[in-house]
Amino acid sequence: MLSRVFGFSRRPFESLSEQEILALAISSEEDDGRIYRAYADGLAESFPQSAKVFEEMAEEEDGHRDSLIELFRKRFGERIPLIRREHVKGYYERKPDWLVRPLGIEHVRSQAEAMERQAYLFYVEAAKRTTDASTRKLLNDLAIAEQGHETLAQRLEQKHVPGDVKDEEAAAEQRQFILTYVQPGLAGLMDGSVSTLAPIFAAAFATHDTWQTFLVGLAASIGAGISMGFTEVASDDGKLSGRGSPIKRGITTGVMTSAGGLGHALPYLIPHFWTATAVAAVVVFFELWAIAFVQNRYMQTPFLRAAFQVVLGGALVFAAGVLIGNA
């Protein structure tokens, strides 16, 4: 276990023979081709045109692999050693983000650029370690090809993803982000910020004890977060509504609900009652402003209308808490 963590079982790149360098290049090209196809599969449903870009990039990697295999056979025969990225110390690793669904189109594009840049650096270093002229030439050619893949990707995007299609894909990704994160997070923040006002301020004015008020706020916030999170997960699996992973939505809702309540519970760690209450009131103001801002920014709700709705609701709940606490 320790050898894996600290890399003791990995070979230094400098220790690889030319045969092993070629074998590593072959497995890397094969892996990259499979990764591009995984990206294409992940994008096919939501971004079919961009998926075609990665299909063609995978075919390009297949061509590189075939050239390397042909050279290997000429020099070393049919048996290719099994050596992969994870066997070499300091060699770049790929995080399996191609397994995540849904895939973000901009994230995938940036990852593809990083892959091509890393492959270019590998071929440059590999070429330096070879003495055979044909091997050095192929590795240098592949380095140039990898360096030119950014231009290739741009050409493929122009072919498959013209401006209007790219705009449509960007709009679809934005909608998915709103459905999966913004809406659940906004619902959680509203529930946590508004619904906990009554119990927290009722406890504050009933006891004038800041520590007891904090405990009430902590319990209300965490309890509401757990409840809202599980409700979001159970209410919609996302398959028909297209709202995305219920786990992601549930975590987002739960965390934002707890955060909304804790915002005005934490000031009651201040031992002086009126100071704590004043700070809590200021926090509530900023919480309600943040809710109105998110509604305006992502939900296209006019800011004044959003602010009026949120402030009115918050004021009514706050007043209820104060009246009950002073009863």
Side-chain angles (χ1 to χ4, degrees), residues 171 174-175 177-179 182-183 186 291-307 309:
Q174 176 75 354
R175 284 195 301 273
F177 174 74
I178 291 173
L179 290 172
V182 176
Q183 282 186 345
L186 181 61
I291 292 170
F293 172 79
V294 172
Q295 285 185 320
N296 173 255
R297 171 68 176 78
Y298 291 100
M299 314 304 291
Q300 283 77 51
T301 304
F303 183 80
L304 291 178
R305 190 175 80 184
Q309 292 172 344

Side-chain angles (χ1 to χ4, degrees), residues 188-189 192-193 221 225 253-266 283 287:
L189 184 61
S193 299
S221 301
T253 304
V255 169
M256 294 306 295
T257 301
S258 296
L262 287 172
H264 44 270
L266 289 173
V283 171
E287 288 174 345

Side-chain angles (χ1 to χ4, degrees), residues 46-262:
S46 300
F47 311 106
Q49 295 304 114
S50 287
K52 294 179 182 178
V53 173
F54 289 99
E55 288 284 2
E56 292 200 26
M57 292 184 73
E59 292 174 5
E60 183 84 5
E61 301 300 317
D62 291 345
H64 294 176
R65 179 203 61 200
D66 293 343
S67 298
L68 288 163
I69 291 176
E70 182 180 352
L71 176 63
F72 188 96
R73 283 173 174 163
K74 289 179 180 178
R75 293 196 60 196
F76 304 110
E78 295 291 330
R79 297 183 183 274
I80 302 175
L82 178 60
I83 180 168
R84 308 178 72 89
R85 293 186 178 98
E86 59 266 26
H87 303 153
V88 181
K89 186 182 297 183
Y91 202 85
Y92 56 89
E93 296 183 7
R94 304 274 192 242
K95 294 183 179 180
D97 55 356
W98 53 87
L99 299 177
V100 178
R101 295 294 185 274
L103 287 173
I105 184 64
E106 291 303 326
H107 173 74
V108 171
R109 285 171 180 155
S110 66
Q111 286 298 100
E113 290 177 6
M115 288 170 62
E116 301 304 335
R117 184 170 59 253
Q118 292 163 349
Y120 163 74
L121 294 174
F122 164 72
Y123 283 122
V124 168
E125 292 302 315
K128 293 177 183 177
R129 298 192 49 77
T130 57
T131 56
D132 178 74
S134 60
T135 303
R136 181 186 291 267
K137 180 181 184 306
L138 176 60
L139 294 175
N140 280 322
D141 288 345
L142 290 174
I144 294 171
E146 297 292 350
Q147 191 176 32
H149 268 195
E150 183 175 357
T151 303
L152 171 65
Q154 291 173 354
R155 290 201 308 269
L156 291 174
E157 279 200 15
Q158 290 173 357
K159 173 183 175 182
H160 295 296
V161 192
D164 55 342
V165 175
K166 198 168 186 177
D167 291 342
E168 290 176 7
E169 291 186 346
E173 186 172 32
Q174 176 75 354
R175 284 195 301 273
Q176 190 62 57
F177 174 74
I178 291 173
L179 290 172
T180 304
Y181 295 104
V182 176
Q183 282 186 345
L186 181 61
L189 184 61
M190 292 179 67
D191 184 83
S193 299
V194 176
S195 69
T196 57
L197 285 175
I200 290 175
F201 285 101
F205 283 91
T207 65
H208 282 248
D209 185 324
T210 57
W211 177 246
Q212 295 300 322
T213 301
F214 169 73
L215 292 179
V216 170
L218 181 65
S221 301
I222 293 178
I226 294 172
S227 175
M228 285 287 287
F230 275 104
T231 299
E232 182 64 32
V233 171
S235 63
D236 180 10
D237 63 7
K239 293 180 180 178
L240 295 178
S241 65
R243 297 178 64 218
S245 167
I247 301 298
K248 292 179 181 179
R249 298 195 330 268
I251 292 174
T252 302
T253 304
V255 169
M256 294 306 295
T257 301
S258 296
L262 287 172

Side-chain angles (χ1 to χ4, degrees), residues 24-53:
L24 176 59
I26 290 168
S27 68
S28 297
E29 290 290 351
E30 184 174 342
D31 286 348
D32 285 354
R34 295 172 69 181
I35 290 171
Y36 284 140
R37 286 191 171 87
Y39 282 152
D41 292 341
L43 295 172
E45 182 177 351
S46 300
F47 311 106
Q49 295 304 114
S50 287
K52 294 179 182 178
V53 173

